[in-house]
Amino acid sequence: TRAIGAESTLARIIRLVENAQAGKAPIQRVVDKVSAVFVPIVLVLALATLLAWGLTTGNWTSAVLYAVAVMVIACPCALGLATPTAIMAGTGVAARHGVLIKDAEALEIAHSITTVVFDKTGTLTEGRPRLLAAEPVHGDRAELLRLAAALQQGSQHPLARAVMEKAAAEGISPPAANEAKALPGRGVQAVVEGRTLYLGSSRLMQELGVDTSALAAREQALAREGRSISWLATETGGARSLAGLLAFGDAVKAGAREAIAALHAQGVKTVMLSGDNRGSAEAAARALGIDEVRAEVLPADKAQTVARLRGKNKVIAMVGDGINDAPALAAADVGIAMATGTDVAMHTAGITLMRGDPRLVADAISISRRTYRKILQNLFWAFFYNVVGIPLAAFGFLNPIIAGAAMAFSSVSVVTN
């Protein structure tokens, strides 16, 4: 796609990074509340120092110097810098490595992720399935492929494209289809040459009451190989019967297995969502080393599945790329979208992976953990200077010049860190 000006890809990347760096993380709001209490307390301590020294020694000049030293060394600059400097560094490093973080909250929450949920197609796999087998119950394979192509012509679904590519490669011309209707999450139906045809999942066959036992053994063998299975059924005179099955294969993305291993090394559990039958979904999960599989999940049920996982006191990240992944991305604690997918997914997610490489998921979590660790370190040093410095100033061991240098050094140490 092409765009100019403010809508170019580069401009959008810059805008995302700027928004993240300008936003406040949840921990920063806590620091702001602490600072709001901290400042009045310091002023009270400075006044107490002034009165204590002035009334006990009568030397009001020294009392004023000590009171000023208390206020100077307690300047809360380091507290204010602790979080935004770490977030600016973290989002900048992430952007250079292809991880765009939309808001500071996503960056902070990502450090505590316990489970990553992956949509299978287009996220862990290439999203370009190929038709690998067409097996009829009776008759010839070419007829099965001809009827399947008739149902799928005009559809932009990846499986439909795979069927049409195979039919074209074998020189098969599909007949016209009428009254075509999509059956969301289950398949498609249409009238072809006077017969109603159905093409879809095992769930659809069960709903239609179609017996698939004739090819059950073959289906199980293909599923063990990690193939996705679609069934073709015909209806004539109200009687429905199985015509055959189609088996699809989608290549696993380079680095997908490595990505899962990296997450496990971080102590993060992995879950895969798939609309495929359980056999093929579990075969793919085994090949990748994924911990848990949720198979035969309808697009509309993805968000509910993520919500149920969150209900188990887990911090969930959802990784997806399609329009139907957007509700699940929104339902997760952190949504992670592939930039190779749809704009809807990217707008919904808090983090976008520019290269569509699943290994970047572990990188995003690692950057978040490092950033959060820097925030905590910065806050420690900011409070450490105050805890040590204020008593020293109040008891007269620091004059304002040394206090000013120490205060400045606290800010420098935070920024340097």
Side-chain angles (χ1 to χ4, degrees):
T1 59
R2 296 184 179 185
I4 59 172
E7 291 309 313
S8 67
T9 299
L10 178 59
R12 288 165 63 191
I13 291 172
I14 293 170
R15 193 159 58 243
L16 283 171
V17 175
E18 287 177 343
N19 289 342
Q21 292 177 343
K24 285 188 178 182
I27 196 170
Q28 177 63 34
R29 289 191 280 271
V30 175
V31 172
D32 289 345
K33 291 178 181 178
V34 171
S35 297
V37 177
F38 175 79
V39 172
I41 290 175
V42 169
L43 293 175
V44 170
L45 289 174
L47 179 61
T49 300
L50 173 68
L51 295 175
W53 281 100
L55 294 174
T56 56
T57 66
N59 187 344
W60 288 95
T61 301
S62 295
V64 169
L65 285 175
Y66 298 150
V68 169
V70 169
M71 287 190 289
V72 169
I73 200 166
C75 180
C77 298
L79 284 176
L81 290 168
T83 302
T85 49
I87 286 174
M88 186 167 290
T91 52
V93 168
R96 287 197 297 274
H97 290 82
V99 178
L100 289 187
I101 299 169
K102 191 193 301 185
D103 54 63
E105 186 170 353
L107 178 64
E108 182 182 330
I109 293 173
H111 89 275
S112 57
I113 288 170
T114 58
T115 303
V116 175
V117 181
F118 287 94
D119 174 62
K120 178 189 170 191
T121 305
T123 303
L124 293 172
T125 65
E126 295 289 350
R128 294 190 297 273
R130 294 176 296 120
L131 179 63
L132 300 178
E135 304 199 5
V137 176
H138 306 292
D140 59 48
R141 175 181 172 283
E143 176 63 11
L144 177 66
L145 188 53
R146 189 178 78 92
L147 295 177
L151 274 170
Q152 298 286 34
Q153 58 189 328
S155 173
Q156 294 303 308
H157 192 281
L159 296 185
R161 289 200 296 269
V163 171
M164 297 309 297
E165 287 171 4
K166 191 68 171 179
E170 298 188 9
I172 295 172
S173 299
N178 301 309
E179 302 175 32
K181 183 169 66 172
L183 306 170
R186 303 189 306 281
V188 65
Q189 73 176 67
V191 176
V192 178
E193 297 176 339
R195 292 179 296 172
T196 301
L197 302 184
Y198 301 90
L199 181 62
S201 64
S202 298
R203 182 196 294 256
L204 177 60
M205 294 300 108
Q206 291 170 5
E207 291 177 3
L208 296 173
V210 175
D211 181 12
T212 60
S213 59
L215 292 173
R218 186 60 182 143
E219 178 218 4
Q220 291 170 8
L222 289 166
R224 283 194 296 270
E225 296 173 11
R227 309 305 180 206
S228 301
I229 306 297
S230 290
W231 302 92
L232 180 68
T234 63
E235 180 179 339
T236 306
R240 294 167 180 156
S241 61
L242 183 68
L245 67 76
L246 304 177
F248 301 88
D250 190 5
V252 171
K253 280 188 176 181
R257 186 174 180 82
E258 187 180 334
I260 302 302
L263 289 170
H264 289 162
Q266 293 177 340
V268 176
K269 182 181 178 182
T270 53
V271 178
M272 186 178 79
L273 295 184
S274 175
D276 294 345
N277 62 74
R278 178 158 295 279
S280 61
E282 288 181 346
R286 281 195 301 272
L288 292 168
I290 287 176
D291 299 314
E292 185 180 335
V293 179
R294 301 295 175 94
E296 299 177 11
V297 178
L298 295 174
D301 294 337
K302 288 182 179 180
Q304 293 178 8
T305 303
V306 170
R308 282 195 294 271
L309 288 169
R310 284 187 71 189
K312 297 178 180 178
N313 297 320
K314 296 177 180 177
V315 181
I316 303 295
M318 171 69 193
V319 187
D321 71 326
I323 292 174
N324 60 10
D325 295 327
L329 292 170
D333 295 287
V334 180
I336 303 176
M338 298 285 186
T340 49
T342 63
D343 285 348
V344 174
M346 285 185 281
H347 280 297
T348 307
I351 298 175
T352 299
L353 310 181
M354 290 305 294
R355 295 199 300 274
D357 184 347
R359 286 173 292 192
L360 291 177
V361 175
D363 291 343
I365 294 174
S366 176
I367 289 170
S368 173
R369 289 179 176 179
R370 290 163 185 262
T371 302
Y372 193 72
R373 192 156 59 241
K374 288 296 177 187
I375 291 172
L376 296 181
Q377 290 171 5
N378 287 349
L379 291 174
F380 167 79
W381 285 113
F383 280 109
F384 175 80
Y385 278 108
N386 286 314
V387 169
V388 174
I390 290 175
L392 290 175
F395 286 105
F397 294 108
L398 295 176
N399 65 44
I401 296 173
I402 297 174
M407 180 275 295
F409 186 73
S410 72
S411 298
V412 170
S413 66
V414 162
V415 175
T416 303
N417 189 37

